[in-house]
Amino acid sequence: MQRTERIHIIERMLRSRRSVSFSELMERLEVSRATLYRDLAVAQERLGLPLIKDEETRQYRLDRTAECQELPGLWFSPREIHALLSLKALLRAMDTGGVLAEHIEPLRERLLKMLGSAASPAGEVARRVRILQVASRSCTPRHFQTLAAAVMERQRLLIRYQARSSGELSQREVSPQRLVHYRGNWYLDAWCHQKDALRSFAVDAILETQPTDVQARELAEEVLDDFLGAGYGIFAGQQLTWATLVFSARQARWVATEQWHPAQEGQFLADGSYQLRLPYSQDTGLILDILKHGPDCQVVAPPELRAKVIRLLKQSLEKY
């Protein structure tokens, strides 16, 4: 029987009874006195089990007035703990504005105690696992928490928003639907009551937030996916156009393993190049991905997308 299983049994016995003797625990676990002492120390010191020992009766019981008690079944092996610490490193890299830090850090400290090493395995994870975010934008933690609360509690918000494209300021009343993390940045999908339509708002461009007492308008998941998930990336719209792209044989091996859109269609051509077909509603994000491949990507269709990419390439060349 592994230590994690033994500690789980100890915890169950203590929860189901007022107190348990040391000899009862030894008999149930079939371990030596030294092993049981070590298990009890681990349960108390590393896992935070609120354990009380009566020195006279040698009985053990739980302090049921403790604010924090372990949930039954929440025990991790060292490998699982290292995996969770790696996940924490990933979340930290995504958390460009520090919006999750205060909630994640207590979990990290608890995992370190559970791992039982003074050698700071979290530092080792940080050294061995690198997550690099490019072009991510910082957002105000206070705004993010207000938005997240409104999403979960189905509550309307008043926001002051500055459009990135024009710099225009506007006051909006919105019904938040969901938060989206896309290309290293956070977006709020919401029903805009001024526009009477679904909109995506960049969280870092929301300057002020004010909760209201009004219930948010609830939209079915199918409606959100149909409008916000049908196009390319976060760019909404129900009028879909299909793009056909051809990638050079040099780039084909990489692109063939990538998912640009859930409904994409791809195939290798006779010359080793790769043809990718995918839908889009607005071309903003798609053009960014096309241009980053430079001469290794050719737009075949539709003609209007091809013409726009050619125009942008010519404008870029004029800069040189």
Side-chain angles (χ1 to χ4, degrees), residues 120-137:
S120 184
E124 185 69 8
V125 169
R127 189 168 70 89
R128 300 291 184 180
V129 180
R130 301 295 301 275
I131 298 129
L132 305 177
Q133 291 282 5
V134 178
S136 58
R137 303 190 296 263

Side-chain angles (χ1 to χ4, degrees), residues 15 27 56 90 95 127 134 166 181 195 274 290 307 312:
R15 286 188 184 278
E27 182 179 355
E56 292 185 4
L90 175 61
D95 188 26
R127 189 168 70 89
V134 178
S166 62
H181 192 262
K195 300 294 184 179
Y274 186 77
I290 290 170
L312 290 171

Side-chain angles (χ1 to χ4, degrees), residues 31-32 39 43 51 101 105 129 136 139 147 157-158 164 186 240 247 254 268 271 280:
V31 295
S32 66
D39 288 349
L51 196 62
E105 193 57 28
V129 180
S136 58
C139 57
L147 296 174
L157 285 175
L158 299 177
R164 289 291 183 196
W186 286 100
L240 295 181
F247 295 86
W254 283 271
F268 282 95
D271 61 355
Y280 68 96

